[in-house]
Amino acid sequence: MRSRSDAHGGAGTSAKAGEFEYVFPAIRGIQAGHEYYVTMCPLRIVPRLFLYNEEELPPEMRAQRSLNKARVPEMARYIVENPDSYIFSALTASVNADVRFESPSGDIGPTERVGTLTIPMSATFVINDGQHRRAAIQQALTENPALGDETIAIVMFIDVGLSRCQQMFADLNRYAIRPAKSIGVLYDHRDPMAAISRLVVSQNPLLSDLTEMESSNLAPRSRKLFTLSALHTATTALLNEVKPDSLTERVDLAADFWRLVAGQFPVWQQVYRGEVTAGEVRQDFIHTHSIALHALGRVGNTLLRENPIPSTWEERLEKLRIIDWHRNNAGTWEGRATTAGKVSKSRTNVELTTAYIRTALGMPLPPDEQRAEDAFTRGEK
């Protein structure tokens, strides 16, 4: 007796000669001369189908990396909190069993592309790509079982063995490149802070013209002064725990702050007017680099907490003009914002840079920056 796939296109089961089988709707394809299959699987089946039991094996005996359990709760929360808009790409798996592919007419010829894939339930499924998605799905189902009827695409390769599984993992990850943070901010319509950062940039003609929106690194000949990712990090620090909660009001506060800051750096205006090149400014000064922007955001956060009225910030921010921002000012920046002349942006460097700016603006240091400053003064940096 055979139970065909459900209305969502997932797997069904059948029994033949005493052995139970999985039955998947599938499309057959050819890659590197080998057959593979693309199918869909209900989320409720994923944890049972793709078991993860390789943690105790040595690396050379595994077909995938160790599961990073710290990543799983965040991914599961993403599914649970966005049930109407989450998206997961296909899992890639290997199956060590003899399978049977049939077209709707019952033909099993090599030219048939659409049909059903029958796999013995005794088969072992190994995920080559997507074990963290699989773990997140399992956790999300415990919080919202209704997700179980939804489906995820599966790409299946047949009986490839451990060596081939390991090679598949290496190949699938060989050219995987994490998208630049800037384009992540640009395209993220779920995170309110990403929306605020985009709006702050778009509403300021200087920032709009001089901010690189896609890449998080600026080429030497780029005409941009800032990256969206750097401004996003700085704006997040600026608005950290700052009221009000209204997005419009938070955008206005951040826009006013960066407008006043920009007014303290005449050279930014010169780049905007085309009088000097962005590359020259980035090479000669540190005030356009992410560490300085982040530090300015931290300083601004204190100003906003003290008084959310922009006119009260201007006198304090005017003191930014007295700081020597030249990168070759080693007496100030070496070990604080630069290492061997190169800008560094570790947490300690951010704290030390912020501490210096606060001191120049006549502001007291919070405990974390005071500790970093004391250690730096003692030569412990």
Side-chain angles (χ1 to χ4, degrees):
M1 180 177 179
R2 177 178 294 256
S3 172
R4 287 293 180 181
S5 305
D6 61 25
H8 294 282
T13 62
S14 70
K16 180 179 180 181
E19 182 178 17
F20 286 91
E21 300 170 316
Y22 294 109
V23 181
F24 296 91
I27 299 173
R28 178 167 59 180
I30 301 293
Q31 215 175 78
H34 299 283
E35 289 186 351
Y36 71 98
Y37 302 88
V38 180
T39 185
M40 288 183 291
C41 179
L43 296 188
R44 67 176 180 275
I45 302 294
V46 168
R48 302 202 300 268
L49 201 62
F50 303 101
L51 301 177
Y52 185 84
N53 56 4
E54 297 193 346
E55 282 189 325
E56 303 305 319
L57 293 176
E60 64 271 17
M61 295 301 294
R62 298 192 213 126
Q64 53 191 294
R65 77 188 87 182
S66 296
L67 191 70
N68 182 351
K69 294 181 180 179
R71 292 179 56 193
V72 176
E74 182 179 2
M75 295 174 69
R77 188 165 58 250
Y78 161 70
I79 304 173
V80 172
E81 294 180 356
N82 301 283
D84 299 323
S85 59
Y86 78 92
I87 183 168
F88 267 178
S89 56
L91 305 178
T92 301
S94 300
V95 184
N96 70 336
D98 292 326
V99 303
R100 186 171 68 258
F101 180 79
E102 298 179 7
S103 71
S105 64
D107 194 347
I108 59 173
T111 61
E112 298 298 328
R113 290 288 180 262
V114 179
T116 57
L117 179 67
T118 302
I119 303 174
M121 280 193 175
S122 59
T124 299
F125 296 80
V126 175
I127 292 183
N128 304 110
D129 183 54
Q131 70 266 33
H132 290 91
R133 274 164 278 159
R134 173 239 174 259
I137 289 169
Q138 180 175 8
Q139 183 170 323
L141 287 170
T142 64
E143 300 181 44
N144 184 3
L147 292 167
D149 290 331
E150 300 197 358
T151 58
I152 189 168
I154 312 287
V155 181
M156 291 189 183
F157 294 86
I158 308 302
D159 197 21
V160 296
L162 177 61
S163 295
R164 176 60 177 153
C165 279
Q166 291 175 335
Q167 187 62 58
M168 287 171 64
F169 175 85
D171 289 347
L172 286 167
N173 290 277
R174 186 184 305 274
Y175 302 111
I177 299 176
R178 187 177 180 87
K181 185 178 177 182
S182 284
I183 201 167
V185 175
L186 181 64
Y187 289 168
D188 191 346
H189 297 276
R190 203 184 307 282
D191 180 6
M193 273 308 310
I196 290 172
S197 298
R198 292 193 301 269
L199 288 168
V200 167
V201 170
S202 67
Q203 292 178 11
N204 184 307
L206 183 147
L207 293 181
S208 180
D209 186 56
L210 298 181
T211 300
E212 168 56 52
M213 304 296 283
E214 292 187 49
S215 175
S216 294
N217 295 294
L218 296 174
R221 299 178 68 86
S222 172
R223 60 174 300 275
K224 306 295 186 179
L225 276 182
F226 321 102
T227 65
L228 179 59
S229 59
L231 285 169
H232 174 66
T233 298
T235 302
T236 300
L238 172 70
L239 296 178
N240 182 39
E241 298 183 4
V242 169
K243 302 297 182 181
D245 294 325
S246 162
L247 184 141
T248 299
E249 292 176 296
R250 287 166 70 82
V251 169
D252 289 343
L253 280 174
D256 285 335
F257 175 77
W258 290 117
R259 174 181 55 79
L260 290 172
V261 167
Q264 312 314 313
F265 297 105
V267 71
W268 292 10
Q269 316 293 331
Q270 291 176 311
V271 175
Y272 180 55
R273 294 192 298 265
E275 296 169 1
V276 295
T277 69
E280 290 175 311
V281 173
R282 295 196 313 272
Q283 179 64 34
D284 294 343
F285 300 93
I286 71 161
H287 50 50
T288 65
H289 289 264
S290 60
I291 186 173
L293 296 175
H294 191 175
L296 288 167
R298 287 168 60 113
V299 170
N301 179 259
T302 302
L303 296 179
L304 268 63
R305 287 169 179 269
E306 290 176 350
N307 195 326
I309 301 175
S311 60
T312 65
W313 314 333
E314 191 162 7
E315 182 178 353
R316 186 90 73 173
L317 291 175
E318 285 177 351
K319 295 179 181 178
L320 292 172
R321 292 173 177 259
I322 68 174
I323 297 175
D324 183 352
W325 295 92
H326 284 88
R327 192 197 293 226
N328 62 10
N329 176 19
T332 296
W333 303 119
E334 183 61 25
R336 184 183 295 278
T338 63
T339 301
K342 293 185 177 181
V343 176
S344 177
K345 51 183 179 181
S346 71
R347 177 177 177 177
T348 300
N349 289 123
V350 172
E351 290 174 345
L352 288 169
T353 301
T354 307
Y356 184 83
I357 296 173
R358 283 192 202 275
T359 301
L361 270 55
M363 300 169 66
L365 303 187
D368 58 340
E369 293 172 19
Q370 187 64 63
R371 286 191 296 270
E373 187 67 23
D374 291 344
F376 179 73
T377 302
R378 293 193 301 266
E380 297 177 10
K381 174 68 173 69

